[in-house]
Amino acid sequence: MKSKPEILVVDDERIVRESLFHWFKNGGYAVATAASGAEALEKMAGRPAELLFVDVKMPGMNGIELLERIKAEYPAAVVVIITAYGSIESAVEAMKKGASDYLIKPFKPEYLTLVMEKIDQQLDMARECNYLKAQLEKKTRFENIIGRSAPMQAVFDTITQVADQDTSVLLTGETGTGKELVAKAIHAKSRRAHHPFVALNCGAMPENLLETELFGHQKGAFTGATHPRKGFLEVVSGGTLFLDEIGEIGMKMQIDLLRVLEERRISRVGSSQTVPVDFRLITATCKDLEKEIAAGRFREDFFYRIHVIRIAIPPLRERKEDIPLLARHFLSKISHETGRKVDHISQAALKMLQGYRWRGNVRELENAIERAVVLSTGPLLGVDDFAFLHAAQTKPAPGGSLLEMEKGYIRQVLDDCAGNITRAAAVLGINRVTLHRKIKRLQLSRGPQR
């Protein structure tokens, strides 16, 4: 059975509100009324209606202003403007600002029936579009990773290609880009999926502790070793071992792990006996390991052993089209986890989030959504709910000339792309030749300034 839209009638004339309320009620619609624009916004914040009938002339906020607010915060809502003072100019203005129809009071019931039939068809189409959109969004979810952008689709393709190859994989990318999620996705799609997935942050523990965590120990191997204990290299048997921050381990541990990868056997700390191990190794780092090798801090032979396949996870600034999708996903997840009834985020807020510089990447975005949800006072997150984000990052510097603003923006993009002209040109939406010309004209250096 087709569902009927919930209706909100907004008019300062009581007789109009009551007559429309009873007409819709008798037609089987769920209907509410509001006597002003402010009251309408308050009711929309509590329970958004799909269809609104809005009078033009009202004290305080007029109907056109309310129309703009509604379309900005609830773009899917259908708004019909009603007025006793119709004119071609006001009708054109209303339609330009997103009204679906424009009715002159008083209107006959037969005409209202025709309008409702037209709106029902419009809403049916919108629901079908939402369904197709939901189906499309399913394709943007890969295990627990979300992204429809080209860089993330390339990551998904690589994961699919390498998942069953059992080779070592090195994940590179900035902090907060989701490297552990990618590691879990590779494990979930591999033949090892029914065995353990063990993750260990190498940068979070001293080398001697990391050694016993990985290799285990025999009773009496050191003070406090009162019982023999298996390390993760044995515990993970048949599964996948994910070593995050691999660039933080010392030379001795690099040699020990290199030997394990070549021999597939280990000795527990304090034991001379060896035991076979079976695991797939996935490592991750935010460091440039080639530079670490050049600096003598990382072994070249170990590097080539762990990065048979390399997957580079793009930072959020290179996949801005994914931000609305990610924001809605985190909003749904966090609202469910916290029990807060916050289920909408305005288009204006999404645009602001896309303009923000996410130095902490996806993790920072998730934290921002969580903070906004926890501190929100209604079901809708708007721009004001993200006031804690640094405002200067979302706005151009005031007072600068157009040339200075262009120079500053290109400088910012070059820095974000580490001086990579191809990537910077893609972010700016221009070709490489044009970017080279602008760099020369604005007397910019190509290399990053930070």
Side-chain angles (χ1 to χ4, degrees):
M1 183 179 173
K2 190 168 66 174
S3 63
K4 292 192 172 185
E6 293 190 23
I7 297 173
L8 178 61
V9 176
V10 189
D11 199 311
D12 60 325
E13 291 184 72
R14 183 178 175 184
I15 188 169
V16 176
R17 291 198 308 274
E18 290 184 348
S19 61
L20 283 175
F21 175 86
H22 291 297
W23 192 88
F24 287 124
K25 192 81 174 174
N26 292 335
Y29 292 94
V31 54
T33 62
S36 67
E39 186 183 351
L41 290 173
E42 189 178 330
K43 291 202 171 180
M44 285 293 284
R47 188 182 179 89
E50 280 185 280
L51 171 59
L52 295 92
F53 283 80
V54 176
D55 186 29
V56 173
K57 287 204 171 183
M58 293 186 290
M61 185 187 306
N62 68 41
I64 300 301
E65 291 171 330
L66 178 60
L67 167 66
E68 290 180 291
R69 292 280 300 271
I70 293 294
K71 297 307 286 185
E73 305 295 341
Y74 310 92
V78 174
V79 180
V80 175
I81 293 294
I82 55 179
T83 181
Y85 309 94
S87 68
I88 293 175
E89 290 77 16
S90 63
V92 169
E93 183 187 11
M95 301 306 276
K96 276 185 176 177
K97 291 183 174 175
S100 294
D101 217 325
Y102 185 91
L103 306 181
I104 307 295
K105 292 188 282 189
F107 29 81
K108 295 180 179 178
E110 309 89 68
Y111 187 65
L112 197 54
T113 300
L114 289 175
V115 169
M116 288 307 297
E117 287 176 357
K118 176 185 156 190
I119 289 172
D120 278 343
Q121 290 176 358
Q122 188 178 340
L123 288 170
D124 282 346
M125 289 179 64
R127 291 181 188 121
E128 187 174 349
C129 285
N130 287 336
Y131 171 77
L132 294 173
K133 186 179 175 185
Q135 294 300 105
L136 178 63
E137 287 192 353
K138 283 183 181 177
K139 294 182 181 178
T140 65
R141 292 170 185 263
F142 190 93
E143 296 300 324
N144 289 319
I145 312 168
I146 291 174
R148 65 159 62 104
S149 63
M152 288 310 295
Q153 291 298 314
V155 170
F156 296 167
D157 289 344
T158 308
I159 292 173
T160 303
Q161 287 178 308
V162 307
D164 256 340
Q165 299 303 312
D166 220 17
T167 51
S168 298
V169 176
L170 174 64
L171 306 175
T172 59
E174 297 174 10
T175 299
T177 49
K179 294 188 285 292
E180 185 166 340
L181 282 179
V182 173
K184 286 179 178 176
I186 294 171
H187 172 73
K189 289 197 161 294
S190 74
R191 65 179 178 83
R192 297 178 179 274
H194 299 293
H195 297 278
F197 174 88
V198 174
L200 204 60
N201 188 331
C202 300
M205 58 185 72
E207 186 119 332
N208 59 341
L209 178 58
L210 179 62
E211 183 182 27
T212 58
E213 289 292 318
L214 285 173
F215 291 86
H217 59 75
Q218 285 296 91
K219 179 181 178 181
F222 49 83
T223 303
T226 55
H227 297 85
R229 179 176 177 273
K230 286 184 178 180
F232 287 129
L233 288 167
E234 287 185 78
V235 171
V236 75
S237 181
T240 301
L241 177 65
F242 173 57
L243 296 181
D244 199 2
E245 304 294 352
I246 193 69
E248 300 297 327
I249 67 173
M251 285 292 188
K252 180 181 178 303
M253 182 57 68
Q254 292 174 38
I255 294 170
D256 291 344
L257 285 172
L258 180 62
R259 185 177 298 119
V260 173
L261 291 171
E262 290 175 345
E263 298 177 359
R264 293 287 166 179
R265 299 186 70 84
I266 65 162
S267 297
R268 293 181 189 172
V269 175
S271 172
S272 57
Q273 291 185 332
T274 62
V275 293
V277 288
D278 173 25
F279 67 95
R280 181 187 196 171
L281 181 64
I282 300 177
T283 54
T285 183
C286 57
K287 283 189 171 181
D288 184 335
L289 292 185
E290 281 92 342
K291 285 186 179 176
E292 293 298 298
I293 292 170
R297 293 188 290 266
F298 208 82
R299 291 181 63 93
E300 192 169 12
D301 49 1
F302 182 56
F303 171 71
Y304 287 117
R305 198 70 178 80
I306 63 174
H307 101 303
V308 179
I309 301 292
R310 183 194 299 214
I311 301 177
I313 317 298
L316 201 51
R317 62 179 173 276
E318 292 180 13
R319 42 180 298 222
K320 288 188 174 181
E321 66 181 281
D322 290 334
I323 289 177
L325 199 64
L326 286 163
R328 291 192 186 99
H329 165 73
F330 291 136
L331 177 62
S332 173
K333 172 174 168 273
I334 293 165
S335 297
H336 177 73
E337 288 174 351
T338 59
R340 302 296 306 273
K341 293 182 179 177
V342 185
D343 48 15
H344 287 75
I345 183 165
S346 73
Q347 290 297 310
L350 289 174
K351 282 184 181 176
M352 187 277 292
L353 294 178
Q354 283 184 292
Y356 185 75
R357 295 182 68 188
W358 297 100
R359 297 180 189 279
N361 293 300
V362 179
R363 186 179 299 148
E364 186 187 0
L365 173 62
E366 181 174 9
N367 290 345
I369 299 292
E370 181 173 358
R371 179 171 173 175
V373 168
V374 170
L375 297 179
S376 69
T377 55
L380 175 75
L381 293 185
V383 172
D384 291 346
D385 291 297
F386 295 95
F388 54 87
L389 294 174
H390 198 286
Q393 290 191 19
T394 63
K395 297 177 182 175
S401 68
L402 185 60
L403 188 67
E404 289 169 336
M405 291 170 65
E406 182 187 25
K407 185 175 182 179
Y409 183 58
I410 293 176
R411 175 75 272 155
Q412 174 189 316
V413 173
L414 283 169
D415 288 346
D416 289 342
C417 296
N420 186 307
I421 294 294
T422 302
R423 284 165 52 197
V427 172
L428 291 165
I430 58 180
N431 61 43
R432 297 177 77 254
V433 174
T434 303
L435 180 53
H436 275 297
R437 285 177 183 156
K438 285 181 178 291
I439 288 172
K440 185 176 180 181
R441 178 170 60 85
L442 297 170
Q443 298 182 326
L444 289 164
S445 63
R446 286 182 48 176
Q449 300 296 296
R450 55 178 168 77

